[in-house]
């Protein structure tokens, strides 16, 4: 069996870590968003007169949670397509 070059090992590890990272980085905000919607709907049911305030707060928090997922996607895409590790270690 032939040896793999270090570049291939780093690229393989990057792909593996990116796959795990995108799963975790999108699953956790999705779960938290679901819980936030559940709590907001529960609050609207309890106090219908405060529905506008609850809705506004919910939309702001959902935007912040979605931005976390987008940042994870950005970092993963940088690791996959412009891998700085290969350039620094093997040039």
């Amino acid at each position: 069996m032939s040896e793999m070059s270090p570049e291939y090992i780093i690229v393989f590890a990057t792909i593996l870590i990116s796959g795990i990272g995108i799963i975790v980085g999108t699953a956790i905000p999705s779960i938290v968003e679901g819980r936030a919607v559940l709590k907001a709907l529960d609050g609207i049911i309890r106090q219908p007169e405060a529905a506008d305030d609850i809705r506004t707060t919910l939309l702001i928090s959902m935007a912040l949670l979605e931005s976390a997922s987008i940042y994870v996607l950005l970092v993963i895409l940088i690791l996959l397509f412009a891998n700085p590790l290969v350039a620094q270690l093997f040039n």
Side-chain angles (χ1 to χ4, degrees), residues 1 7 11 16-17 26-28 36 46 48-49 70 75 78 82 87:
M1 195 177 241
E7 292 95 355
V11 169
L16 185 66
I17 291 169
T26 56
I28 291 174
R46 288 185 193 174
E49 64 277 358
I70 292 170
V75 169
I78 288 171

Side-chain angles (χ1 to χ4, degrees), residues 4 8 19 21-23 26 32 43 53 64 68 75-76:
M4 289 182 65
Y8 290 129
I22 198 72
I23 290 170
T26 56
V32 173
D53 294 334
L64 292 173
V75 169
I76 297 300

